[in-house]
Amino acid sequence: MADPITTLDNLLRPAFDAVAADAAPVDPVVRASEHADAQANGALGLAKRLGRPPRDVADEIVAYLNDSGVLDGICDGIEVAGPGFINLSLSPEFLGAEVAALIGDERLGVAEADTARTVVIDYSAPNVAKEMHVGHLRSTVIGDALVRLLGFLGHRVIRENHIGDWGRPFGMLIEHLIDIGADAAGEGLSQGDLDGFYKAANAKFDASPEFQERSRQRVVALQSGDAETTELWLRLVSMSTDYFNTVYRQLGVLLDDDDLMGESRYQDLMASTIERLDAAGLLVDSDGARVVFPDGFTNRDGDPLPLIIQARTGGFNYATSDLSCVIDRVERLGADLLLYVVGAPQRQHLEMVFEVARLAGWLAPPAEAVHVSFGNVLGADRKMLRSRSGDAVKLVELLDEAVERAAAAVADKNPDLDDAARAEVARLVGIGSVKYADLSTDRIRDYVFDWDRMLSFDGNTAPYLQYAHARICSIFRRADLDRDAFAAQWSDDPTAIIGLGHEAERTLAKRLLAYPSVIAAAAAGYEPHTVCTYLYELSQEFTAFYEHCPVLRAEEPTRRDRLLLCDLVARTLGHGLGLLGIDVPEQM
RNA sequence: GCCCCCGUAGCUCAGCUGGAUAGAGCAUCGGACUUCUAAUCCGUUGGCCACAGGUUCGAAUCCUGUCGGGGGCGCCA
């Protein structure tokens, strides 16, 4: 029940190698094809290497395949076309048996990774006492999808939420907390008015030299571990993280308090980090600051660009913190893959941090660090998405609006649902739409945020996929069949080969079998949108099947086979969306 | 000034480890509801894949340059 493309690739290799008749192995280059079920393109490259006409080489490979019989029962058509493509048609029996083998497989054909890695995924990272806005949406949603995806492949995944809970602003924030009283502050913060709190503190800081001085002293007290200051700081942090948790629950991501690894957690490691850099001979004094000059980075004037480890004032900065973080993840957690789900502007900084970590020997193969970068969320004007007031859009308000809009759509389209069901569907569809819109385009690009498009039931959207799933559930409800029980009934029956008499069924079977390849590709590139594209194609092919192939009214055994196909589509949709952190409704 | 990312249909996007006439959705126009949810489907129109070179039997895909958009470039995080 592997992807037939993979199966063919493996089976064709010996034939290509035999015709090549030398030691170098040949890639058959098997791809899905419009002209057949699959095409092997490798003969063209091989012909070049052998200095022979491509069609002759292709013919010889086909002859070898026919003589050896390796494709007997698998392919019922092998022919050379065009300049030397080898077109391969899969036999219905083979496809039917392969797809039937998925019925009893909870993993839908996806094997666990050969070598499990320990992966730290750094994502979300909101700032204490600051509102979560759309800027945090992408990191949180993409990171969550990667957590689920890599976890499913059997890797040991460690979630880390590197919240901004330390640094200069905290003197100001703590003093403001004291001024207005912890209870009043708690009330405001628990209601989600984090921006109000931050802005008030900031305004006071700008206006009052006396407040500035208090704030400066408070930072010193915080850094020196003053008990009262620490207690106030902890209150501030916990009020904020409580708020973050409500947003995470609303959004449906896995992050919780156990994943918090804020900047403050690395403060005690900083001194030794600097010592180790010094011992490695990497530290250089530059204008009174202690820096490292990794190769390949230059500043405006073309001079070497330093990574500043310790400022002239003696203070540490985020480079130091990020290096300590690498050490912690590799040495304490035993990670061999560090993923940073961080916006594209941080690229140079992260590359410098990674390079210095390599120079210091902290990031030695097989351990590696990857910047999983992403673009901005844009408004209709193609500029950074802003609220009407010009501020960043609050994430909670965005999510509330998504659910409201979905509720209106559901009420309009399916008035028969009762209030509770409608509210639940609206939640799944609304939140799912926002997440899907974020995940369904190549993350490296900016994307345009458009309510109407993401909530549309047409096109590559969450509602379209969710609707396909709901329709399948509806078929089983109509037949008074439990999906799981029905699948279980046939999962161990080797005679339950699914008949694929209609082209739409055949197309669906091939798509279902391609799931493992898609998951592998998505994981290899840290690209959730690969899964989205696949699920959309699956949904389109399902609706074509739905239009052309009656399920319940079909004669046995076609009825059974179509029900099994429906179940596999529903499971694949549910599973794939699940990997993206999106839930599927039973009805819509 | 240097570096990075992006540029595919009117709009929003796939395709980019090179493969046969470049795909979806929206929008346009024309069809399909006594039939498992028409929240759907089918058809139609629409492209010098930013531009110019190069590599190759073959380039949207790889290389170089140009143009356009965005971002980064020493003591904030």
Side-chain angles (χ1 to χ4, degrees):
Chain A
M1 61 190 163
D3 186 345
I5 301 294
T6 310
T7 304
L8 289 172
D9 193 285
N10 291 329
L11 292 173
L12 260 53
R13 270 170 202 278
F16 275 80
D17 287 342
V19 173
D22 57 27
V26 184
D27 183 356
V29 195
V30 179
R31 300 285 132 91
S33 174
E34 297 173 18
H35 306 277
D37 291 320
Q39 62 183 64
N41 306 328
L44 292 124
L46 178 58
K48 177 77 175 172
R49 199 169 101 193
L50 299 175
R52 294 176 48 193
R55 283 196 70 108
D56 286 2
V57 173
D59 284 336
E60 194 177 331
I61 291 166
V62 170
Y64 184 97
L65 287 169
N66 285 329
D67 290 348
S68 68
V70 287
L71 296 180
D72 289 355
I74 295 174
C75 288
D76 54 13
I78 308 170
E79 55 189 38
V80 177
F85 301 110
I86 299 171
N87 288 343
L88 302 154
S89 301
L90 296 162
S91 78
E93 295 76 19
F94 171 74
L95 266 182
E98 287 290 286
V99 76
L102 293 174
I103 299 166
D105 182 7
E106 288 184 359
R107 297 184 59 86
L108 293 164
V110 182
E112 297 208 343
D114 292 336
T115 53
R117 306 179 79 172
T118 297
V119 189
V120 169
I121 306 186
D122 182 324
Y123 66 112
S124 194
N127 292 311
V128 162
K130 276 185 131 176
E131 192 65 52
M132 287 187 78
H133 52 82
V134 280
H136 299 102
L137 178 67
R138 302 214 74 188
S139 177
T140 307
V141 168
I142 294 167
D144 186 62
L146 294 177
V147 165
R148 295 172 194 260
L149 181 62
L150 296 177
F152 175 62
L153 290 175
H155 299 292
R156 178 173 168 247
V157 176
I158 301 168
R159 304 187 293 261
E160 289 213 338
N161 193 358
H162 198 82
I163 60 171
D165 64 355
W166 202 253
R168 215 182 53 197
F170 280 86
M172 162 185 103
L173 293 167
I174 292 170
E175 283 302 318
H176 182 57
L177 180 70
I178 293 169
D179 285 359
I180 65 172
D183 292 339
E187 200 174 320
L189 291 172
S190 66
Q191 286 166 3
D193 185 22
L194 278 73
D195 272 357
F197 184 88
Y198 194 95
K199 282 177 179 168
N202 213 23
K204 222 189 296 180
F205 189 88
D206 290 341
S208 163
E210 179 269 343
F211 187 78
Q212 285 176 25
E213 184 51 32
R214 276 162 54 196
S215 299
R216 266 191 284 274
Q217 288 171 6
R218 188 60 70 178
V219 174
V220 174
L222 180 64
Q223 286 172 341
S224 62
D226 172 67
E228 185 205 352
T229 303
T230 301
E231 202 270 332
L232 290 165
W233 171 78
L234 278 171
R235 291 190 69 158
L236 205 53
V237 171
S238 79
M239 286 186 286
S240 293
T241 54
D242 285 350
Y243 174 71
F244 299 154
N245 285 335
T246 65
V247 179
Y248 293 146
R249 293 297 80 77
Q250 184 183 16
L251 194 51
V253 296
L254 299 168
L255 285 169
D256 62 31
D257 284 343
D258 292 339
D259 306 319
L260 292 170
M261 273 305 277
E263 289 162 15
S264 63
R265 302 284 290 272
Y266 301 96
Q267 297 307 307
D268 292 343
L269 297 170
M270 306 270 240
S272 80
T273 300
I274 290 180
E275 279 172 27
R276 290 172 67 172
L277 284 171
D278 200 19
L282 293 170
L283 274 185
V284 177
D285 183 283
S286 177
D287 298 336
R290 305 182 83 188
V291 309
V292 178
F293 287 102
D295 284 340
F297 299 91
T298 55
N299 67 13
R300 238 177 263 281
D301 303 319
D303 298 326
L305 182 68
L307 187 68
I308 295 168
I309 307 299
Q310 189 166 21
R312 200 160 33 210
T313 57
F316 304 138
N317 58 19
Y318 73 135
T320 331
S321 168
D322 286 343
L323 283 169
S324 301
C325 202
V326 171
I327 293 173
D328 186 61
R329 289 169 180 179
V330 173
E331 298 184 0
R332 181 177 65 86
L333 297 172
D336 53 9
L337 179 59
L338 312 183
L339 300 184
Y340 291 76
V341 188
V342 174
Q346 299 278 351
R347 179 180 170 128
Q348 189 183 55
H349 166 72
L350 286 171
E351 281 186 350
M352 291 180 81
V353 167
F354 297 162
E355 183 56 23
V356 170
R358 280 189 286 265
L359 289 170
W362 303 326
L363 199 56
E368 62 172 329
V370 176
H371 178 201
V372 181
S373 71
F374 53 83
N376 294 315
V377 183
L378 306 179
D381 57 0
R382 289 217 132 252
K383 302 211 166 134
M384 293 269 284
L385 187 66
R386 302 267 172 204
S387 68
R388 279 180 297 277
S389 62
D391 294 332
V393 178
K394 289 171 80 166
L395 195 45
V396 279
E397 291 177 358
L398 190 88
L399 298 175
D400 285 342
E401 183 168 355
V403 175
E404 282 169 24
R405 283 173 178 266
V410 174
D412 179 44
K413 307 287 188 183
N414 192 350
D416 296 338
L417 286 180
D418 63 50
D419 288 352
R422 185 171 63 233
E424 177 61 5
V425 171
R427 192 181 67 78
L428 299 184
V429 171
I431 301 296
S433 295
V434 170
K435 293 170 93 170
Y436 193 86
D438 201 299
L439 292 168
S440 59
T441 61
D442 190 356
R443 60 176 163 73
I444 203 73
R445 295 171 45 137
D446 296 345
Y447 81 93
V448 178
F449 192 94
D450 183 326
W451 284 119
D452 291 335
R453 199 163 51 241
M454 75 176 71
L455 284 161
S456 167
F457 298 90
D458 290 300
N460 189 10
T461 66
Y464 182 80
L465 308 197
Q466 290 171 321
Y467 179 58
H469 182 270
R471 279 174 134 181
I472 295 170
C473 295
S474 177
I475 290 172
F476 277 83
R477 265 197 309 275
R478 186 62 68 104
D480 200 25
L481 286 171
D482 179 81
R483 282 209 293 124
D484 292 341
F486 185 77
Q489 181 186 343
W490 297 103
S491 62
D492 294 327
D493 187 339
T495 69
I497 294 172
I498 295 179
L500 303 169
H502 195 286
E503 193 55 36
E505 296 171 291
R506 188 187 172 78
T507 302
L508 216 40
K510 285 191 288 180
R511 186 68 66 185
L512 288 166
L513 288 166
Y515 191 55
S517 306
V518 169
I519 296 303
Y526 315 111
E527 290 170 341
H529 86 282
T530 306
V531 179
C532 296
T533 303
Y534 169 85
L535 294 174
Y536 176 51
E537 287 164 343
L538 176 64
S539 299
Q540 281 186 306
E541 286 158 2
F542 169 73
T543 48
F545 161 85
Y546 184 89
E547 296 288 329
H548 296 113
C549 302
V551 177
L552 300 179
R553 285 181 284 109
E555 299 290 324
E556 295 292 0
T558 301
R559 183 178 189 269
R560 176 204 69 178
D561 292 348
R562 290 183 174 168
L563 280 166
L564 288 171
L565 276 177
C566 283
D567 176 58
L568 283 170
V569 172
R571 279 169 56 199
T572 305
L573 284 173
H575 190 269
L577 285 170
L579 291 180
L580 302 172
I582 296 170
D583 293 323
V584 285
E586 296 282 310
Q587 58 178 343
M588 282 175 75

